[in-house]
Amino acid sequence: MTKAIAPRLRKVRVLATLGPASNTPEMIERLARAGADAFRVNMSHGDQASKVPLIEAIRGLERKIGRPTTILADLQGPKLRVGRFADGKVQLTTGQRFVLDRDPAPGDTERVELPHREIFEAIEPGARLLLDDGKLVLRVLAHEERRIETEVVVGGPLSNNKGLNVPDVILPMAALTEKDVSDLAFALDQGVDWIALSFVQRPDDLADARRLIQGRAALLAKIEKPAALDRLEDIVEQCDGVMVARGDLGVELPPQSVPPLQKRIVEVARRQGRPVVVATQMLESMITAPTPTRAEVSDVATAIYDGADAIMLSAESAAGSWPTESVAMMNAIAEAVEADPMHGERVHFTILRPDPTTADALAEAAKNIANTVSAKAIICFTTSGSTARRVARERPGVPILVLTPKLETARRLGLLWGTHAVHTRDVESFEEMVAKAKRMALRHQIAGAGDRVVVMAGVPFRTPGSTNVLHVVRIIGDELKGYKS
């Protein structure tokens, strides 16, 4: 008989990226048992067919362990690249002139093709062009309709099809490419739970994705362009979740700018009640080493102390030599941080003021009552997940047990702080609600005999967004007698 994974009482979620090092059902199960709560499928690498067995393996694991499991499909977004060189590679020297143009002929030490019309339309003198993840820096001197003349500020080797970043201008290009539209349709047909949209620059970038998704998945905006920071509040308001994508953000901005921006993005997302994921290079050294650096451990801990909903592994779990160990380390760091007596105070450094609604008032009250009466958990009955999101926004000091009749809701909550989601039949009455809350708290080892729990729901039942009931109950201990799951 398969051993179930016990509820994780740590609050922060662990999101693990799948790849060549973790693309079998056995490895995916090992990652889940090591601490992964959700899995990222990166649409930038491999074809769609290669993603099918990954998604099937996750869903198979879900059935095997009887626990909703979250899948995030990460769209590639518009990748900007230079063309090819006659010799495959050139050496650019600091101070030299170098031209980017629309000529498809192979490049040399003086010029290379730039096959992106949008850059020629938006570029301005003085703007920077960053090549190969920022290793080379060009500054624009002059431009025409089909030609950009630059000076090499930081030189180095440049080879075929290297990536290009344009941090100083907003490019007139959609966040969804043709590849993204195809990958999005594929991911939705496969039943993924979250869609991550790359290189979001403005709130309007989310509109096309929303239209195509049609409510079939939650939408997560990756904040990795400086332009997005100018409209951050509006972008967060238009999506279901946010990712602090520190890779490209750290290329287009000075490295020292990223930590305060990370804190700002986390704070804005928390205030608006959106799950926020901190990602990229969190345990980078564990791609090749079995243990992380102390600085990496501190980096992960900082994100947890700031109250991030989830922390993400990229190449560490996707292509590294120690995928299981990297997940286990992330889990261990989270447990150690949350065991710190100061953790509860630090996650409340962000000042949150509830909206003037009954649901928000009850969510804040639930946290305070749980603390006052030493309740073991807050139990939310929800259809859409909104009740759970409101409670999680308050960062209570106890687990949030979420009971929902919609499997897709349970799956999407895998990125939400402090929640343990259970897919179960809906209730019809207040009495049934109380009885079920007690049973589920016992069954899922959230509380025991003699413990109090705080129950939240909406009456009439089965009405999304109607949270209006808060009830404190004590578990006697015999609630499971005669009950069959």
Side-chain angles (χ1 to χ4, degrees):
M1 183 176 179
T2 301
K3 182 180 178 182
I5 298 178
R8 295 191 176 104
L9 298 185
R10 61 167 159 77
K11 309 298 195 305
V12 70
R13 309 288 89 184
V14 174
L15 174 60
T17 302
L18 299 181
S22 52
N23 61 3
T24 65
E26 294 75 20
M27 274 302 302
I28 291 172
E29 180 172 349
R30 286 177 60 185
L31 297 185
R33 294 191 181 281
D37 303 289
F39 295 97
R40 172 177 173 251
V41 176
N42 190 353
M43 303 305 295
S44 297
H45 304 295
D47 57 16
Q48 293 175 359
S50 68
K51 306 299 186 291
V52 174
L54 293 180
I55 295 170
E56 289 179 346
I58 298 169
R59 293 305 183 218
L61 174 65
E62 180 180 76
R63 293 187 292 271
K64 187 175 180 181
I65 63 177
R67 174 176 176 170
T69 305
T70 307
I71 303 176
L72 179 144
D74 194 339
L75 303 181
Q76 176 176 286
K79 287 288 186 180
L80 306 177
R81 300 184 185 278
V82 299
R84 301 179 65 83
F85 294 92
D87 296 326
K89 183 178 181 179
V90 298
Q91 181 75 26
L92 299 186
T93 304
T94 299
Q96 77 165 85
R97 297 294 191 267
F98 189 72
V99 172
L100 303 163
D101 58 35
R102 301 295 301 280
D103 184 355
D108 52 31
T109 56
E110 296 182 354
R111 59 154 296 276
V112 73
E113 179 193 13
L114 182 59
H116 301 287
R117 172 183 52 80
E118 299 88 352
I119 297 178
F120 291 84
E121 293 177 357
I123 204 66
E124 299 174 353
R128 292 169 300 150
L129 301 175
L130 311 179
L131 297 162
D132 193 9
D133 289 334
K135 296 182 179 70
L136 290 82
V137 181
L138 313 180
R139 188 171 298 281
V140 176
L141 299 176
H143 68 96
E144 301 171 2
E145 184 178 353
R146 300 179 60 85
R147 173 186 171 92
I148 301 173
E149 183 179 350
T150 75
E151 178 186 3
V152 178
V153 178
V154 178
L158 181 63
S159 54
N160 293 338
N161 305 127
K162 282 299 182 182
L164 175 76
N165 292 78
V166 189
D168 299 331
V169 297
I170 297 179
L171 298 178
M173 59 196 310
L176 284 170
T177 65
E178 289 185 14
K179 170 179 166 56
D180 293 330
V181 172
S182 174
D183 288 343
L184 173 57
F186 162 79
L188 293 175
D189 288 342
Q190 291 294 311
V192 306
D193 311 301
W194 284 83
I195 297 291
L197 189 61
S198 297
F199 301 111
V200 173
Q201 297 186 91
R202 56 183 80 81
D204 293 346
D205 289 339
L206 301 165
D208 284 344
R210 280 276 189 214
R211 178 177 54 81
L212 294 171
I213 292 172
Q214 294 184 332
R216 297 168 62 190
L219 178 59
L220 182 141
K222 295 172 66 178
I223 307 299
E224 49 196 333
K225 299 284 290 182
L229 299 168
D230 296 332
R231 302 289 304 279
L232 182 60
E233 296 269 358
D234 296 331
I235 288 172
V236 174
E237 186 176 354
Q238 294 299 318
C239 64
D240 301 304
V242 181
M243 180 183 291
V244 188
R246 305 183 302 181
D248 277 274
L249 197 60
V251 169
E252 300 204 1
L253 291 167
Q256 65 271 20
S257 300
V258 175
L261 288 174
Q262 173 179 317
K263 289 183 178 293
R264 178 187 164 201
I265 296 166
V266 170
E267 179 180 357
V268 170
R270 286 193 54 192
R271 278 197 279 106
Q272 295 198 23
R274 305 295 194 272
V276 55
V277 182
V278 176
T280 318
Q281 296 181 330
M282 301 208 81
L283 297 178
E284 184 85 351
S285 65
M286 289 194 74
I287 295 173
T288 56
T291 57
T293 66
R294 303 302 180 267
E296 289 168 339
V297 173
S298 294
D299 177 42
V300 174
T302 295
I304 299 170
Y305 277 120
D306 287 345
D309 290 79
I311 44 181
M312 191 182 97
L313 293 165
S314 300
E316 302 96 328
S317 60
S321 300
W322 308 91
T324 307
E325 290 79 3
S326 64
V327 172
M329 177 56 65
M330 201 74 109
N331 180 72
I333 296 169
E335 290 182 341
V337 169
E338 293 181 5
D340 178 4
M342 295 299 295
H343 172 257
E345 293 185 22
R346 292 185 184 277
V347 296
H348 289 108
F349 280 175
T350 298
I351 299 174
L352 303 175
R353 294 181 176 84
D355 293 334
T357 64
T358 300
D360 264 25
L362 289 177
E364 184 182 33
K367 177 194 72 175
N368 295 333
I369 291 172
N371 182 58
T372 300
V373 304
S374 299
K376 290 294 184 180
I378 296 173
I379 302 177
C380 301
F381 287 82
T382 183
T383 301
S384 66
S386 63
T387 302
R389 288 190 293 272
R390 292 174 188 276
V391 175
R393 176 178 179 265
E394 299 297 327
R395 298 298 191 259
V398 296
I400 306 166
L401 177 60
V402 183
L403 307 178
T404 178
K406 296 187 68 173
L407 180 56
E408 56 265 38
T409 295
R411 288 169 171 168
R412 292 178 192 179
L413 293 175
L415 292 182
L416 188 64
W417 189 93
T419 56
H420 176 74
V422 177
H423 177 223
T424 183
R425 291 187 299 272
D426 209 350
V427 294
E428 303 289 345
S429 67
F430 184 87
E431 292 76 14
E432 186 182 357
M433 176 196 77
V434 172
K436 188 158 200 167
K438 293 179 180 180
R439 286 198 308 268
M440 289 299 181
L442 288 169
R443 285 184 61 199
H444 293 274
Q445 306 167 42
I446 298 292
D451 291 332
R452 288 189 178 96
V453 294
V454 178
V455 183
M456 293 184 66
V459 177
F461 295 102
R462 298 185 180 180
T463 305
S466 64
T467 305
N468 56 12
V469 171
L470 190 153
H471 188 59
V472 180
V473 300
R474 185 185 293 275
I475 299 173
I476 299 173
D478 61 354
E479 279 80 5
L480 288 178
K481 289 183 179 179
Y483 173 73
K484 295 182 179 179
S485 59

